[in-house]
Amino acid sequence: MAIAAQPQMPRVWRAETKPHKFCPGCGHGIVLKALGEAVDALDIQERTIFGCDIGCSLLSWDFFNLDTVQTHHGRTTPVLVGIKRARPELVVVSYMGDGGAYAIGAQHLVSSASRNDLVTIIVVNNTVYAMTGGQMAPTTLPGQKTETTPYGRDARLTGRPILGPELVAAIAPPGAYVARGSIANIVQLKNFIQKGLQNQLEGRGIAFIEALSSCPTNWHTNAAATWRFVEKEMTAYFPVGELRTPEEGPVGRLQEVPARGFQS
């Protein structure tokens, strides 16, 4: 007689809220599992604050047995930065989608990266505004059909998809950790997230991890086509890997750099 195997879930997961509220085939659950495993591995549940954005990411508000705050759209990072500055001993995680991070929240992302804030930011990239019906997002691929680009995104009219980790890696001071993972490789993604949390624990600087994810509801794809889009088409434009790793030794945070003053 066959015995059903009990799935291994992170200890930090809130069991009474499972199954989760995300659509079937959505990648958010995989990304959140990787985050939960990273929190478990570092044994930081009692000191971690989880913040989520408006959009699909708001469905994670009751995902964990963690102190959690849900913010206005695009404002997750500054809220978590404020908590970190008020309570430096805490570990803060800013969790959002590509719209919240790269559109309305872009100003906060750039400012936080420039300051090298001690916050871990996780951005789920599924190439569309999924919560509101699948419109074109900052990450929509050239030629990709969405509700607002029914004939495919024309990069000549709307620009090319934003490369978030590359942006952060280019402007963040020494000490930053920047990576892009994928739900297609959860072991690697969990490793990137754990390194991002460790970077905060060691006081080195900002940690930014983008996770390539799926949205079959708005992509209108079956299982095979969904996985092919994540593994092949997305990675062709959004390369997976580490873009920045922290230097050894003390961090050169902006506020610690002596002012030179204006030289006439």
Side-chain angles (χ1 to χ4, degrees), residues 74-75 77-79 81-82 85 96 100-119 121 164 167-173 176 205-208 253-255:
R75 316 307 180 197
T77 294
V79 170
V81 169
R85 293 194 174 201
M96 69 197 84
Y102 303 145
I104 191 171
Q107 58 177 325
H108 301 302
L109 176 61
V110 169
S111 296
S112 190
S114 298
R115 293 190 303 260
N116 210 22
D117 286 325
L118 287 177
V119 59
I121 302 172
L167 170 64
V168 175
I171 63 178
I206 193 170
F208 184 86
R253 289 174 61 81
L254 287 186
Q255 56 265 40

Side-chain angles (χ1 to χ4, degrees), residues 199-211:
N199 204 57
Q200 183 180 163
L201 287 167
E202 294 176 358
R204 294 179 178 274
I206 193 170
F208 184 86
I209 301 97
E210 183 182 90

Side-chain angles (χ1 to χ4, degrees), residues 76-134:
T76 311
T77 294
V79 170
L80 272 293
V81 169
I83 293 173
K84 182 70 176 184
R85 293 194 174 201
R87 295 283 302 277
E89 75 279 9
L90 298 177
V91 178
V92 299
V93 178
S94 176
Y95 184 82
M96 69 197 84
D98 45 6
Y102 303 145
I104 191 171
Q107 58 177 325
H108 301 302
L109 176 61
V110 169
S111 296
S112 190
S114 298
R115 293 190 303 260
N116 210 22
D117 286 325
L118 287 177
V119 59
T120 300
I121 302 172
I122 300 172
V123 174
V124 179
N125 173 2
N126 58 16
T127 74
V128 291
Y129 280 109
M131 176 65 78
T132 52

Side-chain angles (χ1 to χ4, degrees), residues 20-38:
H20 58 63
K21 303 175 181 67
F22 297 102
C23 296
C26 174
H28 271 281
I30 300 175
V31 180
L32 290 164
K33 182 179 182 181
L35 171 59
E37 290 178 344

Side-chain angles (χ1 to χ4, degrees), residues 163-248:
L163 296 167
E166 285 80 356
L167 170 64
V168 175
I171 63 178
Y177 178 80
V178 184
R180 180 186 284 115
S182 171
I183 62 168
N185 189 339
I186 189 173
V187 174
Q188 182 190 59
L189 178 61
K190 179 253 182 179
N191 183 49
F192 289 164
I193 293 174
Q194 185 169 329
K195 285 184 176 182
L197 293 170
Q198 188 67 44
N199 204 57
Q200 183 180 163
L201 287 167
E202 294 176 358
R204 294 179 178 274
I206 193 170
F208 184 86
I209 301 97
E210 183 182 90
L212 303 183
S213 185
S214 55
C215 185
T217 297
N218 288 298
W219 293 351
H220 307 290
T221 50
N222 60 22
T226 297
W227 210 243
R228 182 170 60 251
F229 191 80
V230 172
E231 282 196 302
K232 304 297 183 182
E233 297 187 43
M234 290 184 73
T235 56
Y237 191 89
F238 304 111
V240 171
E242 293 179 319
L243 285 80
R244 281 278 298 276
T245 55
E247 298 176 357
E248 294 296 326

